[in-house]
Amino acid sequence: MNQGNQTWSDRFESALHPAIARFNASIGFDIELIEYDITGSIAHAKMLAHTGIISKEEGQQLITGLEQIRLEHQEGRFNPGIDAEDVHFAVERRLTQLMGDVGKKLHTARSRNDQINTDIRLYLRDQIQGIRIQLREWQGVLLKHAETHIETLIPGYTHLQRAQPVSLAHHLLAYFHMAQRDWERLGEIYHRTNVSPLGSGALAGTTFPIDRHYTAAELKFGGVYANSLDGVSDRDFAIEFLCAASLIMVHLSRLSEEMILWGSQEFSFIQFQDSCSTGSSIMPQKKNPDIPELVRGKTGRVFGHLQALLTIMKGLPLAYNKDLQEDKEAIFDGVKTIQGCLEAMTILLREGIEFRTERLEAAVNEDFSNATDVADYLAAKGVPFREAYNLVGKVVKTSLAAGKLLKDLTLEEWQGLHPQFEADIYEAIAPRQVVAARNSYGGTGFEQVRSAIKSAKEQLLDTKS
Ligand code: ARG
């Protein structure tokens, strides 16, 4: 006999096996959705009263009871156990305890299937907006460093071999642009998340004269699902979110990897401040870059959640299937991981590292990363580039053999290599000039970097689109 302790009907004669009840329950994690569940239920109750499906007084009683539960939750007094199965049933059961039989009317013209999809959307759209704000802060810190370091040079790498020096600002702005795409991408996903499935019923709609546009407007959704089957079972938005989250992690993880390298003794380009690094329990000389390492490490779990959700969806027949209960932990953990990583990385970049400019300066002066510029020098004087390139290859080889850098070659030596070399070769291969000369659009030339910073600032002013 149904004692009102479980969601389903008197068709069931015996209670669930306790282990099965535990296995089946989602209350342990979907309690995260409780405020959204209550908000969704209030909109539904209003709509039921508005359409005359229940009376105005009944609607008001439901709302009063739901607000009461919200308060109990906020004050830590509402802690449903495993027997509540999920957040929806927990709220409905409490509502009936509080308000009597009218509580049993809340679920008229609704199913947990459209309810849960509504709840996740309300939750996720809030989180998306929060993450977008965090991305803006992250971009702000990147931009601030960029402004300080326009003229600081850093070796630029390909294949992790020194390639050409670049402005440190240019390097950091690359991450600004990645974050900009992340911000835009989440903005697009927000719109597809912000669509109301409420009123799709269990799968086929409902026999009651509900008003789906009314609830959608109450909940500030941008639209309503046009097909009830799709409405209850679509999780594309969650997959898109985890995909966007994965890309954010890719970007944070790449910079983390660079920071770890830069902080090593081999590079020594940055120094970690005590507030953002940890020591070793055995080796007293060490300062470890735990924060970027953790960010790099946490990347895998977000990828994992994306993979999990894709796999959950791939074989699901329409419409709702209990497999979908598995979406919650993936989404929640994806959200929390992104939030935590963005917060930590923002603090780390803002106050946890210092660029060792003297080391950077030395680094760009002590290598052959100006070799391309020697070839460009000759090419600009009419020597075909490939010929100039081959010649410079030889120059590098003989210099290496002589233990010299290009800047150490005498003018006679230069002219011995090619008659077109003149005294201005020294200026052409000085790292500052090498960087300044790359003035093509989007390049590292200081002029380009300055205008890139200007546009980046303008982009940051946009907090909406
Ligand atoms: N806890 C369920 C979930 O997370 C709610 C929907 C249950 N619907 C059902 N028909 N069993 O998906």
Side-chain angles (χ1 to χ4, degrees):
M1 194 40 203
N2 183 5
Q3 303 297 315
N5 281 335
Q6 59 189 35
T7 349
W8 50 90
S9 70
D10 286 342
R11 172 180 164 185
F12 289 82
E13 288 188 352
S14 65
L16 269 181
H17 185 289
I20 295 299
R22 274 197 305 279
F23 184 73
N24 188 49
S26 54
I27 187 73
F29 48 86
D30 67 15
I31 191 73
E32 177 92 32
L33 297 171
I34 186 164
E35 297 244 9
Y36 299 103
D37 194 71
I38 290 172
T39 302
S41 285
I42 289 176
H44 180 66
K46 277 192 188 166
M47 183 280 293
L48 290 177
H50 171 78
T51 50
I53 297 171
I54 60 173
S55 72
K56 295 263 178 292
E57 297 70 44
E58 287 172 328
Q60 198 43 57
Q61 280 175 286
L62 291 177
I63 294 167
T64 307
L66 287 163
E67 289 297 7
Q68 171 69 27
I69 300 170
R70 193 197 296 279
L71 197 69
E72 289 178 5
H73 164 73
Q74 287 171 349
E75 292 176 348
R77 291 186 285 121
F78 183 58
N79 301 297
I82 232 55
D83 60 320
E85 189 184 338
D86 61 21
V87 64
H88 324 298
F89 184 49
V91 170
E92 192 183 325
R93 192 175 64 179
R94 181 73 188 130
L95 187 65
T96 305
Q97 284 168 0
L98 287 172
M99 310 306 288
D101 276 355
V102 66
K104 296 181 183 168
K105 292 203 170 183
L106 176 66
H107 213 50
T108 315
R110 188 178 67 172
S111 155
R112 283 185 297 162
N113 300 350
D114 55 347
Q115 188 179 358
I116 185 61
N117 204 5
T118 305
D119 291 5
I120 314 171
R121 285 159 190 279
L122 293 175
Y123 161 86
L124 195 57
R125 73 178 188 189
D126 269 10
Q127 308 309 320
I128 287 176
Q129 292 301 43
I131 293 169
R132 291 182 94 214
I133 292 170
Q134 283 191 290
L135 280 168
R136 280 300 193 224
E137 286 168 11
W138 169 238
Q139 288 182 292
V141 177
L142 285 164
L143 189 56
K144 197 146 185 286
H145 271 296
E147 283 186 274
T148 321
H149 290 294
I150 297 173
E151 306 232 356
T152 306
L153 307 188
I154 184 171
Y157 295 83
T158 62
H159 312 270
L160 203 58
Q161 305 281 325
R162 288 202 189 166
Q164 290 164 356
V166 293
S167 149
L168 176 54
H170 193 56
H171 193 110
L172 294 171
L173 284 174
Y175 288 100
F176 177 97
H177 288 288
M178 294 179 217
Q180 178 63 22
R181 290 194 295 278
D182 291 330
W183 184 85
E184 288 170 11
R185 194 174 290 117
L186 281 180
E188 289 154 20
I189 295 169
Y190 179 90
H191 293 300
R192 281 187 291 280
T193 301
N194 197 30
V195 179
S196 176
L198 194 56
S200 296
L203 75 164
T206 171
T207 54
F208 290 94
I210 58 169
D211 185 344
R212 294 190 57 206
H213 298 280
Y214 180 96
T215 42
E218 277 291 315
L219 296 170
K220 301 194 170 56
F221 276 119
V224 295
Y225 267 78
N227 179 298
S228 61
L229 294 164
D230 190 30
V232 289
S233 62
D234 174 33
R235 295 294 185 276
D236 289 359
F237 68 101
I239 291 175
E240 285 189 68
F241 170 75
L242 286 173
C243 186
S246 296
L247 281 170
I248 294 174
M249 290 308 295
V250 167
H251 300 151
L252 294 181
S253 185
R254 290 183 75 181
L255 183 55
S256 292
E257 170 69 13
E258 293 201 304
M259 284 182 170
I260 294 162
L261 287 172
W262 290 347
S264 70
Q265 254 180 314
E266 283 69 13
F267 279 77
S268 299
F269 288 173
I270 58 172
Q271 201 158 2
F272 290 102
Q273 308 293 28
D274 291 356
S275 62
C276 290
S277 61
T278 56
S280 151
S281 59
I282 171 168
M283 297 164 283
Q285 83 283 10
K286 290 189 70 192
K287 237 188 190 186
N288 295 330
D290 291 33
I291 304 311
E293 287 175 310
L294 272 175
V295 169
R296 189 177 59 183
K298 284 176 190 288
T299 302
R301 65 201 278 163
V302 179
F303 293 1
H305 295 319
L306 171 63
Q307 187 62 32
L309 204 47
L310 284 168
T311 311
I312 288 167
M313 295 308 294
K314 77 172 272 290
L316 276 197
L318 287 174
Y320 178 85
N321 298 269
K322 190 71 171 228
D323 315 42
L324 289 171
Q325 182 162 290
E326 286 293 305
D327 63 356
K328 252 75 71 200
E329 287 162 293
I331 297 170
F332 297 158
D333 190 69
V335 164
K336 283 185 190 132
T337 305
I338 287 289
Q339 289 169 340
C341 289
L342 274 171
E343 182 182 28
M345 284 292 277
T346 302
I347 295 171
L348 178 66
L349 196 67
R350 191 170 53 216
E351 59 201 70
I353 61 160
E354 205 180 309
F355 285 99
R356 299 187 57 185
T357 45
E358 80 297 347
R359 286 279 316 157
L360 290 168
E361 178 78 30
V364 293
N365 274 294
E366 66 194 21
D367 61 19
F368 287 89
S369 61
N370 49 6
T372 317
D373 297 79
V374 180
D376 285 356
Y377 176 95
L378 287 180
K381 294 195 172 193
V383 181
F385 180 79
R386 187 55 63 207
E387 196 181 315
Y389 166 92
N390 286 329
L391 181 100
V392 179
K394 260 186 250 155
V395 180
V396 171
K397 196 171 157 193
T398 48
S399 307
L400 272 173
K404 286 181 167 188
L405 292 168
L406 294 177
K407 64 175 182 202
D408 302 325
L409 298 180
T410 64
L411 188 56
E412 291 68 48
E413 285 174 304
W414 281 116
Q415 286 174 339
L417 290 158
H418 200 286
Q420 299 265 41
F421 283 120
E422 288 171 62
D424 60 356
I425 180 63
Y426 295 104
E427 160 73 5
I429 62 170
R432 201 152 302 278
Q433 175 54 24
V434 164
V435 173
R438 290 194 160 65
N439 199 28
S440 52
Y441 179 79
T444 190
F446 302 122
E447 214 178 290
Q448 289 300 319
V449 171
R450 285 203 173 83
S451 88
I453 286 177
K454 197 162 157 265
S455 350
K457 276 187 181 163
E458 280 159 20
Q459 278 178 314
L460 277 194
L461 294 178
D462 179 4
T463 52
K464 291 233 156 42
S465 65

